[in-house]
Amino acid sequence: MNSTPRNCRVGVDIGGTFTDIALDLDGLLHSTKVLTDYTAPERAILNGVKVVAEMAGVALSEIGILIHGTTLATNALIERRGAKTAFVTTEGFRDVLEMRTENRFEQYDLNIALPPALIARADRLVVRERIDASGKVLLALDEPSVAAVVEAIAAGGYESVAIGFIHAYANGAHEVAVRDAILKRLPNVSVSISSEVSPQMREFERFNTVCANAYVKPAIKSYLDRLVVSLKEIGVACPVFMIHSGGGIVSVESASEFPVRLVESGPAGGAIFAADIARRHGLDTVLSFDMGGTTAKICLIENQVPKTAKTFEVARTYRFRKGSGMPISIPVVEMVEIGAGGGSIASVDGMRQIRVGPHSAASEPGPACYQRGGKNPTVTDADLILGKLDPNNFAGGAIPLSVDASLRAMSDDIGSVIGLTPEAAAYGTCEMVDENMANAGRVHTVENGKNISDFTMITFGGAGPLHAARLCEKMGISTFLVPPGAGVGSAIGFLRAPFGYESVRSAVFGLTGFDFAEANHLLEAMKAEALSFVEGGLDKHAPLIERTLFMRYAGQGWDIPVPLDGDRFDGTSAAKIAASFQGEYERFFGRAIEGLDIEIVSWSVKASSPLPPVERVASVVEGAVVAPGKSRRLFEASQGAYLDAGIHERGDLKPGDVVKGPAVIVERETSAVLTSSFKAIVQNDGCLLVTRL
């Protein structure tokens, strides 16, 4: 081995079907994909890390840092596979989880079916207490009711407990007292309190968030503990960090305590990966499209920064509409995620129409073509039948695929039911999943007031480049990029992420009579909290501190973000903040409103390590069209027929080379499919710039 110290960093992304591993050794990337092990997810990581270390020629002991993200928490919430959890709340508010808010995602549907609450009513317990919105105690904590709740939890055999009291974001003393009482009687029970997990106003969102944290906490903590021990046993003794939903990196200990922050950790890595590519290519209006084995994720990236939010929804159930999912109130890279991946199962519904997802064959048993026991037809089976995949070179040849098994599955579950050939059923499956994803992209951009055709798509994930060209045709997008390493894009994104944490709290301050001393105290406390989560990751670099106020006119129900300049308030600050708010309000809504009081309702302080500068990719001179070495039949949806498509090895292409569709550009972890309306030009950094002919 080389005796000179080397910079060796590993990113690991556990998805529903594949676990992706990326190793960066002094800027040179090595990567692999292995099937996710559901019984012990850490086993796939150990196997994958050994593979990439051998590829790179490094000892496991040379790995300096491992950064990990996972969809395990997300999948547990979507599939309702969590701990037996009780929810303790203020008397009179037991049904907030089911009553939700007055908003309805389908206003005129008289038979609307609301998503069921995560915690059943029988498992929701109440305590007599009351705190007002300013944090003042109106009704002291009733000790007999606390004792009764503790005994009910003991008798119920609960593994985890969520505590959420009214206005606990303003004063969490009662939640802390009940937690102490539970742990005194039941020291092995996991307890989460809303004043720590999500100290924000609006009880429906806050209660859901603390329930979600408690629901997944035992399993995630057990998994992370096993992972750290297992890595040390094979010789990986480096620090292990986690990517969180906001796109920053925190310690394993922090992630174990607040696992709800991991709910979108894998997809957040993908958005960071796309943002890094956008920075290198100088793109300001980007739509990232990440399609893996189980889900597809779409995120808006503007001015080379992923769009973020204070809340998001898990598992939207009704046409991707806001309000039809489970709200989670944490800082997050905002995206829409749907059950549309390579393993998504195709079926025929009661109206004899093809439907795809959200159920997935995942890695166990996997799509029918994997020959691992799966019998249901999936998107991967459809892709194989239509010529998008090479049965002998899937995952670098590690997983041989059976075309016959795919044809049987398509015929048995779809073709024979509605009178289609297996090829027609495969075409219908791909068109359905592509339309689902295109519709999700349209809805997401419209919700953000954007025109989707103005965006450049950056696509990655094992299945993303297979479907990107057809999605662009459907959405009217004229250009997309396929970066090097696209098949493991999220894992690479982890290696590009900053150490960072965002503290968010609700505290109402009116600008009339603004108490700047109390506001300064709040900001300092939030800064200290944010820095405490990123200790050990900042090295010698001074952290970047970003402060944001969430403001509204008094009486309004919702707020807008207003960036805060400076770190201290004084007697002149109220006028400056008001002017900033008026400017942002006018930018959002066209005009400001005169004569109304203005108030701050929530605060955000984000501490992060600075992003290293990137070198802009020089433009490339378009060269000659490369003739393919071989070809195969590829079904083109826009023409409804099979065409002869050229097959190109991505590793054989050099900057300036041009590939015209129909074509498939293959690599170890994915393949980029070009329809006949697109051409690809290889860029100086290895990206494929795909544009319409």
Side-chain angles (χ1 to χ4, degrees):
M1 293 293 177
N2 190 339
S3 59
T4 304
R6 293 181 282 182
N7 183 15
C8 183
R9 304 165 70 240
V10 173
V12 179
D13 177 31
I14 293 186
T17 303
F18 285 99
T19 294
D20 298 344
I21 318 286
L23 183 149
D24 186 322
L25 180 63
D26 295 327
L28 185 62
L29 191 70
H30 302 272
S31 61
T32 191
K33 297 174 85 76
V34 296
L35 287 169
T36 295
D37 188 328
Y38 274 81
T39 56
E42 67 275 10
R43 281 203 293 252
I45 294 178
L46 302 180
N47 294 337
V49 168
K50 291 176 184 176
V51 169
V52 291
E54 185 176 343
M55 292 167 63
V58 298
L60 294 173
S61 59
E62 290 186 81
I63 296 173
I65 187 172
L66 188 144
I67 303 170
H68 178 27
T70 175
T71 59
L72 293 176
T74 311
N75 293 341
L77 291 173
I78 291 173
E79 299 170 19
R80 303 296 174 107
R81 291 184 294 104
K84 184 177 182 182
T85 304
F87 176 48
V88 181
T89 190
T90 305
E91 186 178 55
F93 294 87
R94 182 182 183 187
D95 295 315
V96 164
L97 294 180
E98 280 173 319
M99 292 171 64
R100 302 172 67 88
T101 67
E102 74 274 13
N103 293 324
R104 291 294 179 266
F105 49 82
E106 185 55 62
Q107 186 173 351
Y108 300 108
D109 185 353
L110 299 180
N111 299 312
I112 189 171
L114 299 174
L118 184 65
I119 308 299
R121 193 172 196 274
D123 299 318
R124 303 198 292 262
L125 311 170
V126 298
V127 167
R128 286 181 54 79
E129 67 85 40
R130 192 65 185 267
I131 290 173
D132 71 11
S134 67
K136 177 184 175 183
V137 176
L138 298 178
L139 179 63
L141 191 64
D142 181 65
E143 297 299 337
S145 68
V146 173
V149 162
V150 171
E151 291 308 313
I153 292 169
Y158 294 100
E159 302 170 70
S160 191
V161 178
I163 303 174
F165 292 156
I166 287 297
H167 301 309
Y169 61 88
N171 180 351
H174 286 180
E175 289 189 343
V176 171
V178 174
R179 176 177 62 186
D180 291 345
I182 293 171
L183 292 178
K184 183 177 180 180
R185 171 73 169 79
L186 304 164
N188 295 322
V189 169
S190 174
V191 183
S192 301
I193 63 175
S194 74
S195 53
E196 292 180 352
V197 174
S198 177
Q200 299 186 61
M201 60 192 294
R202 300 189 176 94
E203 62 272 12
F204 173 56
E205 291 83 357
R206 179 163 51 89
F207 288 0
N208 266 290
T209 305
V210 72
C211 287
N213 194 80
Y215 190 70
V216 302
K217 186 175 178 179
I220 296 297
K221 186 178 188 310
S222 172
Y223 159 68
L224 292 177
D225 289 345
R226 295 196 313 269
L227 173 63
V228 172
V229 170
S230 299
L231 285 169
K232 288 180 179 178
E233 288 175 348
I234 67 168
V236 181
C238 65
V240 178
F241 291 92
M242 300 296 295
I243 191 95
H244 61 70
S245 306
I249 300 170
V250 294
S251 68
V252 169
E253 292 76 18
S254 298
S256 295
E257 189 64 26
F258 302 109
V260 73
R261 290 256 182 166
L262 304 180
V263 165
E264 289 292 285
S265 64
I272 294 165
F273 176 62
D276 182 68
I277 298 297
R279 291 172 68 204
R280 296 174 191 275
H281 286 263
L283 300 173
D284 290 329
T285 309
V286 165
L287 181 81
S288 79
F289 169 55
D290 175 7
M291 184 178 179
T294 305
T295 57
K297 287 77 67 175
I298 293 169
C299 176
L300 302 185
I301 298 172
E302 297 185 278
N303 300 317
Q304 299 157 23
V305 177
K307 186 174 176 60
T308 58
K310 291 188 300 176
T311 62
F312 72 106
E313 290 179 350
V314 176
R316 290 188 184 181
T317 59
Y318 189 92
R319 300 180 182 177
F320 322 116
R321 294 282 184 86
K322 278 187 176 180
S324 66
M326 182 191 308
I328 303 293
S329 183
I330 57 172
V332 65
V333 173
E334 186 177 32
M335 63 187 73
V336 61
E337 182 172 3
I338 62 172
S344 294
I345 295 171
S347 59
V348 176
D349 67 11
M351 298 181 67
R352 296 173 58 81
Q353 295 179 333
I354 296 174
R355 291 285 179 259
V356 181
H359 299 293
S360 173
S363 61
E364 300 171 5
C369 58
Y370 283 16
Q371 304 176 83
R372 295 167 56 89
K375 301 298 182 184
N376 301 118
T378 67
V379 174
T380 296
D381 293 302
D383 287 339
L384 180 63
I385 292 169
L386 300 181
K388 296 181 182 181
L389 296 173
D390 182 348
N392 301 313
N393 197 33
F394 184 73
I399 304 176
L401 303 182
S402 170
V403 178
D404 289 340
S406 294
L407 290 169
R408 282 195 301 273
M410 280 291 169
S411 177
D412 291 347
D413 284 21
I414 298 177
S416 62
V417 178
I418 53 178
L420 296 176
T421 65
E423 291 81 4
Y427 164 51
T429 296
C430 276
E431 277 294 281
M432 181 58 67
V433 76
D434 288 344
E435 186 57 39
N436 283 346
M437 292 184 293
N439 189 43
R442 295 186 200 105
V443 169
H444 191 48
T445 49
V446 167
E447 285 177 347
N448 286 277
K450 307 295 181 182
N451 183 353
I452 197 167
S453 63
D454 295 337
F455 285 76
T456 297
M457 178 188 286
I458 296 178
T459 183
F460 49 95
L466 290 170
H467 291 258
R470 183 57 176 155
L471 254 68
C472 287
E473 289 176 348
K474 287 177 172 288
M475 295 188 293
I477 292 176
S478 60
T479 305
F480 67 92
L481 277 168
V482 185
V488 293
S490 289
I492 297 173
F494 299 164
L495 303 177
R496 308 281 189 265
F499 284 86
Y501 190 85
E502 184 175 359
S503 173
V504 178
R505 298 188 191 178
S506 289
V508 179
F509 281 71
L511 294 190
T512 301
F514 181 56
D515 187 345
F516 64 86
E518 184 62 27
N520 284 333
H521 178 73
L522 175 64
L523 283 179
E524 284 301 317
M526 294 177 67
K527 178 182 175 181
E529 178 190 6
L531 287 172
S532 71
F533 278 94
V534 295
E535 279 183 328
L538 295 174
D539 298 326
K540 62 182 180 296
H541 300 290
L544 294 175
I545 306 295
E546 301 171 65
R547 301 169 179 84
T548 304
L549 308 177
F550 295 88
M551 303 178 65
R552 67 188 182 187
Y553 289 111
Q556 289 183 323
W558 295 94
D559 46 73
I560 62 170
V562 179
L564 176 63
D565 294 326
D567 59 355
R568 301 270 317 161
F569 296 118
D570 58 29
T572 66
S573 295
K576 296 175 183 176
I577 297 170
S580 297
F581 169 73
Q582 298 276 28
E584 288 297 306
Y585 197 91
E586 188 169 344
R587 187 174 69 84
F588 271 93
F589 302 111
R591 69 181 184 89
I593 303 173
E594 299 298 329
L596 293 182
D597 290 336
I598 299 170
E599 59 188 12
I600 306 166
V601 294
S602 292
W603 308 67
S604 163
V605 177
K606 182 178 180 181
S608 61
S609 56
L611 287 173
V614 298
E615 186 176 344
R616 283 284 296 271
V617 177
S619 59
V620 69
V621 177
E622 185 173 338
V625 175
V626 178
K630 53 185 177 180
S631 64
R632 70 169 180 254
R633 289 200 325 151
L634 174 70
F635 189 87
E636 183 150 330
S638 62
Q639 299 191 29
Y642 281 93
L643 305 177
D644 285 330
I647 307 301
H648 301 262
E649 289 287 342
R650 185 165 184 172
D652 295 339
L653 300 174
K654 61 184 185 301
D657 283 351
V658 179
V659 175
K660 286 191 174 181
V664 183
I665 302 173
V666 300
E667 54 188 299
R668 179 179 173 82
E669 282 99 10
T670 188
S671 295
V673 172
L674 308 182
T675 62
S676 56
S677 57
F678 285 95
K679 68 175 181 181
I681 306 170
V682 183
Q683 303 300 292
N684 283 316
D685 64 342
C687 277
L688 302 176
L689 176 63
V690 186
T691 58
R692 288 187 184 270
L693 289 167

